[in-house]
Amino acid sequence: MRQVFWIAGLLLLGSHDISSFPMTQEAGEQEKRPGSSKDILVSTRKFERAVNGNAIVRNRCRVQGKDIEIEETAEVIKTDGCKLVVRARKVTRPADVRAIDSPAEEGKTSSLDHRSTDDQKQSANGPQEIEFIVYADLSELTTPVLVETQKFGQCEAGGAGVLKVSSRSEPGKAMQVIRRSEANGTTKEHEGVKQTRRDLSLFFSVPAAAEKARKALQLAVKSCGGNEWPDEDDLP
């Protein structure tokens, strides 16, 4: 009789463990599912506010003996659920010593007061601009969203430097990009060149703004059902 009760107890315990497994698996699947349309709207709007007007950096570089300033900006220009359109601009112009962000940089750039004849000719040529239109689907991006300090040879960035906020696309996925270039206000490639990217990257010069954008992008990716970046062993 004792053996009968002992066997019955094991069967009862086993049935409890087996029945709890599907529930645990279902709970894990629910975490990967997209949030409600309201959650997605709130998170994407939060990300848009964190980017627009804040994603801007300026670098002073010396290329082929010429001092130039490179300005990079980005803004979210359209949202449709989890799909975003981001416009990024990169403008290159001759460096101007009067456009100094930080008084501490004045000593470093004082040599720009004596620009060569070639530099003055370049000033007459005007700025050059490259525009990128990025079509991103947040459901195909991954977490964690990273903040990394960027360094460029022969370039100096004011303040805290250049901070890149980025989210990688899922393995096998890519974002569509249209690239256009302009010089002196004239579009060289009117239709644009189609390219692809495997990450959504934005650049900031203020650490607090970069961290705010990182958190907002990570929340938006999770709301849209984006997965974590897989372990190296799981990559195809």
Side-chain angles (χ1 to χ4, degrees), residues 8-30:
L10 287 178
L11 292 175
L12 180 61
L13 180 61
S15 63
H16 174 73
D17 292 340
I18 294 173
S19 63
S20 64
F21 177 74
M23 294 178 62
T24 303
Q25 186 178 20
E26 183 179 355
E29 292 177 351
Q30 287 179 350

Side-chain angles (χ1 to χ4, degrees), residues 31-35 82 138-139 170 220-227:
E31 292 179 358
K32 296 181 181 180
R33 293 174 185 170
C82 291
L138 296 178
S139 67
E170 287 187 354
V221 171
K222 288 183 177 180
S223 297
C224 289
N227 296 317

